[in-house]
């Protein structure tokens, strides 16, 4: 076992704060085991006591609420769903091949994982508090202090009130049927299906209804798409485009890139995910850099908020083989070809075609 009960072969980008992704083989299941689930942290993991933890709901509400975990569980209907989390930095390594990105970890395609989450609907808690009509954003605050923020501050984020009022947004205390682990936000975290992982705030302690987005560094300054020529060190609150919905993305999981396989029929598998209201409609696989494509079989998603695995069998001839994949979504949008045009100073949202290099013997 590695740190935080993770598998020994996690790719640990940083151990403090803990940032790690599983090897590709850890993502082959429809649900990701907790020991393989990626973890992205901006500060030390707080060890909160579920017995003394309280959730405060305040701001533009009729009645401020202060709820214990038992009250949260007893006063609201339990909801469960399968949802994929994906970090905005997933596949950053592809952008690093274009140009360096100082200070950001070189995540591969494993900064994404899927679990069955159980909790209550945020919408139910907000309606118990009596949300005022002028609420535009719902902010989440956590106790983990990040020294990477400018200035250092506890982690926070917000989502627009329309998303916050939707039934899929959970305050979750269980993951794959087990109580949430500390590293994943125990006792309670927010799950915002379809949005970048940064909005799924762990260890949530305060929920505030407000007219403006959160002023927290991780909402106002980080997780924003800056122009390629911007200086990220000089970027201030409100610069760039705030990242919300996930972008259409896909990656190859098996075989692993750089490996040697025997000539003949070879199964190629991977995942694909479309953000928010969209679904993956097609997954194309090419053996000739995108001149011609075959269509892979897509697995049924476990929910509207889940990735889909895909598979196809290619007849591989001996030599160096390069396999390229791209997904299309239900609006007929496709992934862009190259990371060159996607490069940005913080290295977010690389959703270019994924590529796999194999030696076939
Ligand atoms: N309190 C808190 N919540 C957080 C973070 C954090 O550092 N602190 N990281 C965010 C980011 S960027 C991602 S991608 C997800 C990762 O969730 P996981 O560690 O459970 O995989 O948590 C989000 N919630
Ligand atoms: Mo993230």
């Amino acid at each position: 076992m590695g740190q935080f009960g993770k598998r020994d072969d996690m790719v640990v980008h940083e151990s403090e704060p803990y940032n790690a992704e599983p090897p590709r083989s850890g993502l082959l299941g429809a649900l990701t085991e907790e020991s393989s689930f990626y973890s992205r942290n901006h500060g030390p993991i707080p060890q909160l006591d579920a017995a003394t933890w309280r959730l405060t709901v305040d701001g533009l509400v009729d009645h401020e609420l202060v709820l214990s975990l038992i009250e949260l569980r007893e006063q609201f209907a339990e909801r469960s769903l399968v949802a994929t989390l994906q970090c905005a930095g997933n596949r950053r390594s592809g952008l690093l091949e274009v140009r360096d990105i100082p200070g950001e970890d070189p995540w591969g395609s494993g900064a994404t994982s899927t679990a069955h989450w159980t909790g209550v609907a945020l919408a139910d808690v907000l309606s118990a508090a009596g949300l005022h009509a002028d609420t535009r954003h719902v902010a989440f605050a956590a106790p983990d202090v990040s020294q990477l923020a400018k200035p250092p501050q506890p982690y926070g984020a917000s989502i627009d009130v329309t998303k916050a009022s939707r039934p899929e947004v959970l305050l979750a205390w269980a993951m794959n049927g087990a109580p949430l682990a500390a590293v994943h936000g125990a006792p309670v975290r927010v799950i915002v299906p379809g949005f970048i992982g940064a909005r799924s705030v762990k260890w949530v302690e305060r929920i505030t209804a407000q007219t403006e987005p959160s002023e927290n560094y991780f909402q106002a300054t980080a997780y924003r798409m800056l122009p390629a020529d911007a200086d990220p060190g000089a970027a201030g609150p409100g610069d760039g485009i705030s990242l919300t919905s996930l972008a259409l993305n896909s990656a190859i999981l098996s075989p692993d890139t750089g490996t040697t396989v025997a000539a003949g029929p070879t199964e190629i598998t991977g995942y694909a995910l479309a953000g928010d209201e969209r679904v993956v409609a097609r997954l194309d696989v090419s053996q000739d850099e995108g001149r011609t494509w075959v269509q892979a079989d897509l697995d049924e998603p476990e929910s509207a908020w889940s990735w889909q695995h895909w598979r196809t069998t290619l007849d591989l001839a001996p030599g160096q083989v390069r396999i390229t994949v791209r997904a299309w979504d239900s609006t007929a949008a496709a992934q862009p070809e190259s990371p060159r045009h996607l490069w940005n100073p913080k290295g977010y949202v690389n959703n270019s075609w994924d590529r796999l290099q194999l030696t076939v013997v």
Side-chain angles (χ1 to χ4, degrees), residues 37-40 42 142 144 155 184 189 197 200 202-203 223:
F37 205 102
Y38 85 101
S39 192
R40 171 82 180 96
H42 298 78
D144 54 319
Y155 191 86
H184 293 296
R189 77 175 301 168
S200 290
K202 301 188 274 190
W203 314 291
Y223 294 104

Side-chain angles (χ1 to χ4, degrees), residues 88-108:
N90 190 41
R91 303 187 60 218
R92 178 178 290 130
S93 56
L95 298 174
L96 284 161
E97 288 168 22
V98 179
R99 213 201 297 172
D100 195 21
I101 301 173
E104 300 291 337
D105 290 330
W107 294 89

